[in-house]
Coordinates of all heavy atoms in Angstrom, one line a residue:
G158 N 143.6 -83.8 33.4 CA 142.8 -84.1 34.5 C 143.5 -84.8 35.7 O 143.1 -84.6 36.9
F159 N 144.6 -85.5 35.4 CA 145.3 -86.1 36.6 C 146.0 -85.0 37.4 O 146.0 -85.1 38.6 CB 146.3 -87.1 36.0 CG 146.7 -88.0 36.9 CD1 146.1 -89.2 37.3 CD2 147.9 -87.8 37.7 CE1 146.6 -90.1 38.2 CE2 148.4 -88.7 38.6 CZ 147.7 -89.9 38.9
I160 N 146.6 -84.1 36.6 CA 147.3 -83.0 37.4 C 146.3 -82.2 38.2 O 146.5 -81.7 39.3 CB 148.1 -82.1 36.4 CG1 149.3 -82.9 35.8 CG2 148.6 -80.8 37.1 CD1 150.0 -82.1 34.7
A161 N 145.2 -82.0 37.7 CA 144.1 -81.2 38.3 C 143.6 -81.9 39.7 O 143.1 -81.3 40.6 CB 142.9 -80.9 37.4
G162 N 143.8 -83.3 39.7 CA 143.3 -84.0 40.8 C 144.4 -83.9 41.9 O 144.1 -84.5 43.0
I163 N 145.5 -83.5 41.7 CA 146.5 -83.3 42.8 C 146.4 -82.0 43.4 O 146.4 -81.0 42.8 CB 148.0 -83.5 42.2 CG1 148.2 -84.8 41.5 CG2 149.1 -83.3 43.3 CD1 149.5 -85.0 40.8
P164 N 146.2 -81.9 44.7 CA 146.0 -80.8 45.4 C 147.2 -79.8 45.3 O 148.3 -80.1 45.4 CB 145.9 -81.2 47.0 CG 145.6 -82.6 46.9 CD 146.2 -83.2 45.7
P165 N 146.9 -78.6 44.8 CA 148.1 -77.6 44.5 C 148.7 -77.2 45.8 O 149.8 -76.6 45.8 CB 147.3 -76.4 43.9 CG 145.9 -76.5 44.3 CD 145.6 -78.0 44.5
E166 N 148.1 -77.4 47.0 CA 148.7 -77.0 48.2 C 150.0 -77.8 48.6 O 150.8 -77.4 49.2 CB 147.7 -77.3 49.4 CG 146.5 -76.4 49.5 CD 145.4 -76.8 48.5 OE1 145.6 -77.9 47.9 OE2 144.5 -76.0 48.3
L167 N 150.1 -79.0 47.9 CA 151.3 -79.8 48.1 C 152.5 -79.1 47.4 O 153.6 -79.0 48.1 CB 151.2 -81.2 47.5 CG 150.1 -82.1 48.2 CD1 149.9 -83.4 47.4 CD2 150.3 -82.4 49.6
E168 N 152.3 -78.6 46.3 CA 153.4 -77.8 45.6 C 153.7 -76.5 46.3 O 154.8 -76.0 46.4 CB 153.1 -77.6 44.2 CG 152.9 -78.9 43.4 CD 152.5 -78.6 41.9 OE1 153.2 -78.0 41.2 OE2 151.4 -79.1 41.6
E169 N 152.6 -75.9 46.8 CA 152.7 -74.5 47.5 C 153.6 -74.8 48.8 O 154.4 -73.9 49.2 CB 151.3 -74.0 47.8 CG 150.7 -73.6 46.5 CD 149.2 -73.1 46.9 OE1 148.8 -73.2 48.0 OE2 148.5 -72.7 45.9
A170 N 153.4 -75.9 49.5 CA 154.0 -76.2 50.7 C 155.6 -76.4 50.4 O 156.5 -75.9 51.1 CB 153.5 -77.4 51.4
A171 N 155.8 -77.0 49.3 CA 157.2 -77.3 48.9 C 157.9 -75.9 48.5 O 159.1 -75.7 48.7 CB 157.3 -78.2 47.7
Q172 N 157.1 -75.0 47.8 CA 157.7 -73.7 47.5 C 158.0 -72.9 48.8 O 158.9 -72.1 48.8 CB 156.8 -73.0 46.6 CG 156.6 -73.6 45.2 CD 155.7 -72.8 44.3 OE1 154.5 -73.1 44.2 NE2 156.2 -71.8 43.6
V173 N 157.1 -73.0 49.8 CA 157.4 -72.4 51.0 C 158.7 -72.8 51.7 O 159.5 -72.1 52.2 CB 156.2 -72.5 52.1 CG1 156.5 -72.0 53.4 CG2 154.9 -71.8 51.4
D174 N 159.0 -74.1 51.5 CA 160.2 -74.7 51.9 C 161.4 -74.4 51.2 O 162.5 -74.8 51.6 CB 160.1 -76.2 52.1 CG 159.1 -76.6 53.2 OD1 158.8 -75.8 54.1 OD2 158.5 -77.8 53.1
G175 N 161.3 -73.6 50.1 CA 162.5 -73.2 49.4 C 162.6 -73.7 47.9 O 163.5 -73.3 47.2
C176 N 161.7 -74.6 47.5 CA 161.7 -75.1 46.1 C 161.2 -74.1 45.1 O 160.3 -73.2 45.5 CB 160.8 -76.4 46.1 SG 161.5 -77.8 46.8
T177 N 161.7 -74.1 44.0 CA 161.2 -73.3 42.9 C 159.9 -74.0 42.4 O 159.5 -75.1 42.8 CB 162.1 -73.2 41.7 OG1 162.5 -74.4 41.2 CG2 163.5 -72.5 42.2
R178 N 159.2 -73.3 41.5 CA 157.9 -74.0 41.0 C 158.3 -75.2 40.2 O 157.5 -76.2 40.4 CB 157.2 -72.9 40.1 CG 155.9 -73.4 39.7 CD 155.0 -72.3 39.1 NE 153.7 -72.6 38.9 CZ 152.6 -71.7 38.7 NH1 152.9 -70.5 38.5 NH2 151.4 -72.2 38.6
L179 N 159.4 -75.2 39.4 CA 159.7 -76.4 38.7 C 160.2 -77.5 39.6 O 159.9 -78.6 39.4 CB 160.8 -76.0 37.7 CG 161.4 -77.1 36.8 CD1 160.2 -77.8 36.1 CD2 162.5 -76.7 35.9
G180 N 161.0 -77.0 40.7 CA 161.4 -78.0 41.7 C 160.4 -78.6 42.5 O 160.3 -79.8 42.7
A181 N 159.3 -77.8 42.8 CA 158.1 -78.3 43.6 C 157.4 -79.4 42.6 O 156.9 -80.4 43.1 CB 157.2 -77.3 43.9
F182 N 157.3 -79.1 41.4 CA 156.6 -80.0 40.4 C 157.4 -81.4 40.3 O 156.7 -82.4 40.4 CB 156.3 -79.4 39.1 CG 155.8 -80.3 38.1 CD1 154.5 -80.7 38.1 CD2 156.7 -80.8 37.1 CE1 154.0 -81.6 37.1 CE2 156.2 -81.7 36.2 CZ 154.8 -82.1 36.2
R183 N 158.7 -81.2 40.2 CA 159.6 -82.3 40.0 C 159.6 -83.2 41.2 O 159.6 -84.4 41.2 CB 160.9 -82.0 39.6 CG 162.0 -83.0 39.3 CD 163.2 -82.5 38.7 NE 163.9 -81.6 39.7 CZ 164.7 -82.0 40.7 NH1 164.9 -83.4 40.9 NH2 165.2 -81.2 41.5
R184 N 159.6 -82.6 42.4 CA 159.8 -83.3 43.7 C 158.5 -83.9 44.2 O 158.4 -84.9 44.9 CB 160.5 -82.6 44.7 CG 161.9 -82.2 44.3 CD 162.5 -81.2 45.3 NE 163.9 -80.7 44.9 CZ 165.0 -81.5 45.3 NH1 164.9 -82.6 46.1 NH2 166.2 -81.0 44.9
V185 N 157.3 -83.2 44.0 CA 156.1 -83.4 44.6 C 155.1 -84.0 43.7 O 154.6 -85.1 43.9 CB 155.6 -82.2 45.3 CG1 154.2 -82.6 46.0 CG2 156.5 -81.6 46.5
A186 N 154.8 -83.3 42.7 CA 153.8 -83.6 41.8 C 154.1 -84.8 40.8 O 153.3 -85.7 40.5 CB 153.3 -82.4 41.0
L187 N 155.3 -84.7 40.3 CA 155.7 -85.7 39.2 C 155.6 -87.2 39.7 O 155.2 -88.0 39.1 CB 157.1 -85.4 38.7 CG 157.5 -86.2 37.5 CD1 156.6 -86.0 36.3 CD2 158.9 -85.8 37.1
P188 N 156.1 -87.4 41.0 CA 156.0 -88.8 41.6 C 154.5 -89.3 41.7 O 154.2 -90.4 41.4 CB 156.6 -88.8 42.9 CG 157.6 -87.6 42.8 CD 157.0 -86.6 41.9
L189 N 153.6 -88.3 41.9 CA 152.2 -88.7 42.1 C 151.6 -88.9 40.7 O 150.4 -89.4 40.6 CB 151.5 -87.6 42.8 CG 151.9 -87.3 44.3 CD1 151.1 -86.2 44.8 CD2 151.7 -88.6 45.1
L190 N 152.2 -88.4 39.6 CA 151.7 -88.6 38.3 C 152.1 -89.9 37.6 O 151.7 -90.2 36.4 CB 152.3 -87.4 37.3 CG 151.7 -86.1 37.5 CD1 152.4 -85.1 36.7 CD2 150.2 -86.1 37.2
A191 N 152.8 -90.8 38.3 CA 153.2 -92.0 37.7 C 152.0 -92.9 37.2 O 152.1 -93.3 36.0 CB 153.9 -92.8 38.8
P192 N 150.9 -93.1 37.9 CA 149.8 -93.9 37.3 C 149.3 -93.2 35.9 O 149.0 -94.0 35.0 CB 148.7 -93.9 38.4 CG 149.5 -93.7 39.7 CD 150.6 -92.7 39.3
G193 N 149.2 -91.9 36.0 CA 148.7 -91.3 34.8 C 149.6 -91.4 33.7 O 149.3 -91.6 32.5
L194 N 151.0 -91.2 33.9 CA 151.9 -91.5 32.9 C 152.0 -92.9 32.3 O 152.1 -93.1 31.1 CB 153.3 -91.1 33.4 CG 153.5 -89.6 33.8 CD1 154.9 -89.4 34.5 CD2 153.5 -88.7 32.6
M195 N 151.8 -93.8 33.2 CA 151.8 -95.2 32.8 C 150.6 -95.4 31.8 O 150.6 -96.1 30.8 CB 151.7 -96.1 34.0 CG 152.8 -96.1 34.8 SD 154.3 -96.7 34.1 CE 155.5 -96.5 35.4
A196 N 149.3 -94.9 32.3 CA 148.1 -95.1 31.5 C 148.3 -94.5 30.1 O 148.0 -95.2 29.1 CB 146.9 -94.5 32.2
T197 N 148.7 -93.2 30.0 CA 148.8 -92.7 28.7 C 149.9 -93.3 27.9 O 149.8 -93.4 26.6 CB 149.1 -91.1 28.9 OG1 150.3 -91.0 29.8 CG2 148.0 -90.4 29.5
S198 N 151.0 -93.7 28.5 CA 152.1 -94.4 27.8 C 151.5 -95.7 27.2 O 151.8 -96.0 26.0 CB 153.2 -94.8 28.7 OG 153.8 -93.6 29.2
L199 N 150.7 -96.4 27.9 CA 150.1 -97.7 27.3 C 149.3 -97.4 26.1 O 149.5 -98.1 25.0 CB 149.3 -98.4 28.4 CG 148.6 -99.6 28.0 CD1 149.5 -100.7 27.5 CD2 147.7 -100.1 29.2
F200 N 148.3 -96.5 26.2 CA 147.4 -96.3 25.1 C 148.2 -95.6 24.0 O 147.8 -95.9 22.7 CB 146.3 -95.4 25.6 CG 145.2 -96.1 26.3 CD1 145.3 -96.2 27.7 CD2 144.2 -96.8 25.7 CE1 144.4 -96.8 28.5 CE2 143.2 -97.4 26.4 CZ 143.3 -97.5 27.8
G201 N 149.1 -94.8 24.2 CA 150.0 -94.2 23.1 C 150.7 -95.3 22.4 O 150.9 -95.3 21.2
F202 N 151.3 -96.3 23.2 CA 152.1 -97.3 22.6 C 151.3 -98.2 21.7 O 151.7 -98.5 20.7 CB 152.7 -98.1 23.8 CG 153.6 -99.3 23.3 CD1 155.0 -99.1 23.1 CD2 153.0 -100.5 23.0 CE1 155.7 -100.2 22.6 CE2 153.8 -101.6 22.7 CZ 155.2 -101.4 22.4
I203 N 150.1 -98.5 22.3 CA 149.2 -99.4 21.4 C 148.9 -98.7 20.2 O 148.7 -99.3 19.0 CB 148.0 -99.8 22.3 CG1 148.4 -100.8 23.4 CG2 146.9 -100.5 21.4 CD1 147.3 -101.1 24.4
T204 N 148.5 -97.4 20.2 CA 148.0 -96.7 19.0 C 149.2 -96.7 18.0 O 148.9 -96.9 16.8 CB 147.6 -95.3 19.4 OG1 146.5 -95.4 20.4 CG2 147.2 -94.5 18.2
A205 N 150.4 -96.3 18.4 CA 151.5 -96.1 17.5 C 151.9 -97.5 16.9 O 152.3 -97.7 15.8 CB 152.6 -95.4 18.2
W206 N 151.9 -98.5 17.8 CA 152.4 -99.8 17.5 C 151.5 -100.5 16.4 O 152.0 -101.2 15.6 CB 152.5 -100.7 18.7 CG 153.0 -102.1 18.5 CD1 152.3 -103.3 18.4 CD2 154.4 -102.4 18.5 NE1 153.2 -104.3 18.1 CE2 154.5 -103.9 18.3 CE3 155.6 -101.7 18.5 CZ2 155.7 -104.5 18.1 CZ3 156.8 -102.4 18.4 CH2 156.9 -103.9 18.1
N207 N 150.2 -100.3 16.5 CA 149.3 -100.9 15.5 C 149.0 -100.2 14.3 O 148.3 -100.6 13.4 CB 148.0 -101.2 16.2 CG 148.1 -102.2 17.3 OD1 148.9 -103.1 17.3 ND2 147.2 -102.1 18.4
E208 N 149.6 -98.9 14.2 CA 149.2 -98.0 13.0 C 149.7 -98.6 11.7 O 150.9 -98.9 11.6 CB 149.7 -96.6 13.3 CG 149.0 -95.6 12.5 CD 149.4 -95.5 11.1 OE1 150.5 -95.7 10.7 OE2 148.4 -95.3 10.3
F209 N 148.9 -98.7 10.8 CA 149.2 -99.2 9.4 C 149.2 -98.1 8.3 O 150.0 -98.2 7.4 CB 148.3 -100.4 9.1 CG 148.4 -100.9 7.7 CD1 149.5 -101.7 7.3 CD2 147.6 -100.5 6.7 CE1 149.5 -102.2 6.1 CE2 147.6 -100.9 5.4 CZ 148.7 -101.7 5.0
T210 N 148.2 -97.4 8.3 CA 147.9 -96.5 7.1 C 149.0 -95.6 6.8 O 149.5 -95.5 5.7 CB 146.5 -95.8 7.4 OG1 145.5 -96.7 7.7 CG2 146.1 -95.1 6.1
Y211 N 149.5 -94.8 7.9 CA 150.6 -93.8 7.6 C 151.8 -94.5 7.2 O 152.6 -94.1 6.4 CB 150.6 -92.9 8.7 CG 149.6 -91.8 8.8 CD1 148.6 -91.9 9.6 CD2 149.8 -90.7 8.1 CE1 147.6 -90.9 9.7 CE2 148.8 -89.6 8.1 CZ 147.7 -89.7 9.0 OH 146.8 -88.8 9.0
A212 N 152.1 -95.6 7.9 CA 153.3 -96.4 7.6 C 153.4 -96.9 6.2 O 154.4 -96.9 5.5 CB 153.5 -97.5 8.5
N213 N 152.2 -97.2 5.6 CA 152.1 -97.7 4.3 C 152.2 -96.6 3.2 O 152.6 -96.9 2.1 CB 150.7 -98.5 4.1 CG 150.7 -99.3 2.9 OD1 151.6 -99.9 2.5 ND2 149.6 -99.3 2.2
F214 N 151.6 -95.4 3.6 CA 151.6 -94.3 2.6 C 152.9 -93.5 2.7 O 153.2 -92.9 1.6 CB 150.4 -93.4 2.9 CG 149.1 -93.9 2.2 CD1 148.3 -94.8 2.9 CD2 148.8 -93.4 0.9 CE1 147.2 -95.3 2.3 CE2 147.6 -93.9 0.4 CZ 146.8 -94.8 1.0
L215 N 153.5 -93.4 3.8 CA 154.6 -92.5 3.9 C 156.0 -93.1 3.6 O 157.0 -92.5 3.3 CB 154.7 -91.8 5.3 CG 153.6 -90.9 5.6 CD1 153.7 -90.3 7.0 CD2 153.4 -89.8 4.7
I216 N 156.0 -94.5 3.7 CA 157.2 -95.2 3.5 C 156.9 -96.0 2.2 O 156.2 -97.1 2.2 CB 157.6 -96.2 4.6 CG1 157.7 -95.4 5.9 CG2 158.9 -96.9 4.2 CD1 158.7 -94.3 5.9
I217 N 157.3 -95.5 1.1 CA 157.0 -96.2 -0.2 C 158.1 -96.9 -0.9 O 158.1 -98.1 -1.3 CB 156.3 -95.2 -1.2 CG1 155.1 -94.4 -0.5 CG2 155.9 -95.7 -2.5 CD1 154.5 -93.3 -1.4
K218 N 159.2 -96.1 -1.1 CA 160.4 -96.7 -1.9 C 161.4 -97.4 -1.0 O 161.8 -98.4 -1.4 CB 161.1 -95.6 -2.6 CG 160.2 -94.8 -3.6 CD 160.9 -93.6 -4.3 CE 160.1 -92.9 -5.3 NZ 160.8 -91.8 -5.9
E219 N 161.6 -96.8 0.2 CA 162.6 -97.4 1.0 C 162.0 -98.6 1.9 O 161.3 -98.4 2.9 CB 163.2 -96.5 2.1 CG 163.8 -95.2 1.4 CD 165.2 -95.7 0.6 OE1 165.7 -96.7 1.1 OE2 165.6 -95.0 -0.3
Q220 N 162.1 -99.8 1.3 CA 161.3 -101.0 1.9 C 162.1 -101.3 3.4 O 161.3 -101.7 4.3 CB 161.5 -102.2 1.1 CG 160.9 -102.0 -0.3 CD 159.3 -101.9 -0.2 OE1 158.8 -102.5 0.6 NE2 158.8 -101.0 -1.1
D221 N 163.3 -101.0 3.6 CA 163.9 -101.2 4.9 C 163.4 -100.2 5.9 O 163.9 -100.4 7.1 CB 165.4 -101.2 4.8 CG 165.9 -99.9 4.2 OD1 165.2 -99.1 3.7 OD2 167.2 -99.7 4.4
K222 N 162.6 -99.2 5.6 CA 162.2 -98.3 6.6 C 160.8 -98.6 7.1 O 160.1 -97.9 7.8 CB 162.1 -96.9 6.0 CG 163.5 -96.4 5.6 CD 164.5 -96.1 6.8 CE 165.8 -95.7 6.4 NZ 165.7 -94.3 5.7
R223 N 160.2 -99.7 6.6 CA 158.8 -100.1 7.0 C 158.7 -100.7 8.3 O 159.7 -101.0 8.9 CB 158.2 -101.0 5.9 CG 158.1 -100.3 4.5 CD 157.2 -101.1 3.6 NE 156.8 -100.4 2.5 CZ 155.9 -100.8 1.6 NH1 155.3 -102.0 1.7 NH2 155.6 -100.0 0.6
T224 N 157.5 -100.7 8.9 CA 157.3 -101.2 10.2 C 156.5 -102.5 10.1 O 156.1 -102.9 9.0 CB 156.4 -100.2 11.0 OG1 155.2 -99.9 10.3 CG2 157.2 -98.8 11.2
L225 N 156.3 -103.1 11.3 CA 155.7 -104.4 11.4 C 154.3 -104.5 10.8 O 154.0 -105.6 10.2 CB 155.8 -105.0 12.8 CG 157.1 -105.4 13.3 CD1 157.0 -105.8 14.8 CD2 157.6 -106.6 12.5
P226 N 153.4 -103.6 11.1 CA 152.1 -103.6 10.5 C 152.1 -103.8 9.0 O 151.3 -104.5 8.4 CB 151.4 -102.3 10.9 CG 152.1 -102.0 12.2 CD 153.5 -102.4 12.0
V227 N 153.0 -103.1 8.3 CA 153.2 -103.2 6.8 C 153.8 -104.5 6.5 O 153.3 -105.1 5.5 CB 154.0 -102.0 6.3 CG1 154.1 -102.1 4.7 CG2 153.4 -100.7 6.7
W228 N 154.7 -104.9 7.3 CA 155.4 -106.3 7.1 C 154.3 -107.4 7.0 O 154.4 -108.4 6.3 CB 156.4 -106.6 8.1 CG 157.0 -107.9 8.1 CD1 157.8 -108.4 7.3 CD2 156.8 -108.9 9.2 NE1 158.2 -109.7 7.6 CE2 157.5 -110.0 8.8 CE3 156.0 -109.0 10.3 CZ2 157.6 -111.2 9.6 CZ3 156.0 -110.1 11.1 CH2 156.7 -111.2 10.7
L229 N 153.3 -107.3 7.9 CA 152.3 -108.3 8.0 C 151.5 -108.5 6.7 O 151.1 -109.6 6.4 CB 151.3 -108.0 9.1 CG 151.7 -108.1 10.5 CD1 150.7 -107.7 11.5 CD2 152.2 -109.5 10.9
S230 N 151.4 -107.4 5.9 CA 150.7 -107.5 4.6 C 151.5 -108.3 3.5 O 151.0 -108.5 2.5 CB 150.3 -106.1 4.1 OG 151.4 -105.3 3.9
S231 N 152.8 -108.5 3.8 CA 153.7 -109.1 2.8 C 153.3 -110.5 2.5 O 153.8 -111.1 1.6 CB 155.1 -108.9 3.2 OG 155.4 -109.6 4.4
F232 N 152.6 -111.2 3.5 CA 152.3 -112.6 3.3 C 151.1 -112.8 2.4 O 150.6 -113.9 2.2 CB 152.0 -113.2 4.7 CG 153.2 -113.1 5.6 CD1 153.3 -112.2 6.7 CD2 154.3 -114.0 5.3 CE1 154.3 -112.2 7.5 CE2 155.4 -113.8 6.3 CZ 155.4 -112.9 7.3
Q233 N 150.5 -111.7 1.9 CA 149.5 -111.8 0.9 C 150.0 -111.6 -0.5 O 150.5 -110.4 -0.8 CB 148.4 -110.7 1.2 CG 147.1 -111.0 0.3 CD 146.0 -110.0 0.7 OE1 146.2 -109.2 1.7 NE2 144.9 -110.0 0.0
T234 N 150.0 -112.5 -1.3 CA 150.5 -112.5 -2.7 C 149.3 -112.7 -3.7 O 148.2 -112.8 -3.4 CB 151.6 -113.5 -2.9 OG1 151.0 -114.7 -2.8 CG2 152.7 -113.4 -1.8

Side-chain angles (χ1 to χ4, degrees):
F159 198 86
I160 293 175
I163 299 176
E166 292 79 10
L167 297 177
E168 297 176 61
E169 293 172 0
Q172 289 179 271
V173 171
D174 291 337
C176 286
T177 62
R178 188 164 193 169
L179 179 60
F182 173 76
R183 181 174 60 86
R184 296 174 181 272
V185 178
L187 190 59
L189 299 177
L190 284 174
L194 294 174
M195 296 293 182
T197 52
S198 298
L199 173 63
F200 283 92
F202 181 89
I203 293 176
T204 300
W206 183 260
N207 292 332
E208 204 285 320
F209 168 81
T210 307
Y211 280 99
N213 191 43
F214 274 88
L215 297 180
I216 308 297
I217 302 175
K218 298 179 181 179
E219 300 291 337
Q220 301 295 323
D221 59 343
K222 300 293 180 62
R223 294 196 166 187
T224 57
L225 283 176
V227 181
W228 169 74
L229 290 177
S230 64
S231 64
F232 299 106
Q233 184 176 1
T234 63

